[in-house]
Amino acid sequence: MTRRFQAAVLRSYEDPFTVEEVALCTEPGPGEILVEIAGAGMCRTDLAVRRSAGRSPLPSVLGHEGAGVVVATGGDPGNGLGVGDHAVLSFDSCGHCRNCRAASPAYCDSFASLNLFGGREEEPPRLTDAAGKALAPRWFGQSSFAAYALVPARNAVRVDPALPLELLGPLGCGFLTGAGAVLNTFAAGPGDTLVV
Ligand SMILES: [Zn+2]
Ligand SMILES: [Zn+2]
């Protein structure tokens, strides 16, 4: 089934994003989920694509801290997520390198290639523009500047449905990075003071 929806497409390193119709010509495969996006943050990493010296392929749908509702799964996605769950989306990782096996997926050996410089190879392309021209494989495992995102379930975390879903996307990058610096690198604890 082909799903058509709106997305913000970046077509050149100089031009602004254009909101246009795109087509997703696949259902979720094993280990993947389809998420109807409720909101996404705009992070400096989305803007840094313009300074990537051409290594981030275009045209592309960016967006790497999205949040939304799971609307389809490719069988059992393997991390307890199911249709109707609210989820926050974060970066992609391979799941089998030394650092992924040591529970440090942020240091995945394939982090740069999976997230920044091309994504997982797709042949034939799964996301195209309205004319059928390929868009770059998903950015940071999600491409969430769009009404729907096809995501490896290992990038997604279920969240409390009582929370305002449209505001939770930055938990997937901005807050995650800041909290990691404070809690892990600074090892700040209760009662400590710090300047942000
Ligand atoms: Zn970010
Ligand atoms: Zn890995």
Side-chain angles (χ1 to χ4, degrees), residues 101-164:
R101 289 202 312 270
S104 296
Y107 300 103
C108 175
D109 288 351
S110 303
F111 186 93
S113 59
L114 285 175
N115 293 292
L116 294 161
F117 303 135
R120 299 184 187 223
E121 282 191 24
E122 295 180 353
E123 191 52 46
R126 305 200 289 180
L127 188 65
T128 69
D129 66 12
K133 184 174 188 302
L135 298 167
R138 54 197 170 196
W139 168 253
F140 267 79
Q142 53 184 282
S143 289
S144 51
F145 289 166
Y148 290 88
L150 186 66
V151 183
R154 60 179 282 108
N155 304 17
V157 176
R158 186 169 56 224
V159 291
D160 184 344
L163 297 171

Side-chain angles (χ1 to χ4, degrees), residues 42-46 64-65 140 172-174 177:
M42 169 70 84
C43 171
R44 66 166 292 283
T45 306
D46 294 302
H64 69 283
E65 44 178 44
F140 267 79
C173 178
T177 307

Side-chain angles (χ1 to χ4, degrees), residues 8-95:
V9 179
L10 187 65
R11 290 192 167 274
S12 86
Y13 298 104
E14 294 79 31
D15 294 327
F17 295 91
T18 54
V19 175
E20 51 188 87
E21 184 183 273
V22 299
L24 180 67
C25 9
T26 185
E27 290 295 304
E32 293 180 329
I33 56 175
L34 182 68
V35 177
E36 184 173 7
I37 296 295
M42 169 70 84
C43 171
R44 66 166 292 283
T45 306
D46 294 302
L47 305 176
V49 168
R50 296 179 192 281
R51 296 191 299 275
S52 72
R55 290 189 296 165
S56 294
L58 297 183
S60 181
V61 177
L62 305 182
H64 69 283
E65 44 178 44
V69 180
V70 179
V71 293
T73 66
D76 176 4
N79 65 351
L81 279 167
V83 170
D85 283 340
H86 290 197
V88 166
L89 312 179
S90 192
F91 56 84
D92 201 2
S93 55
C94 78

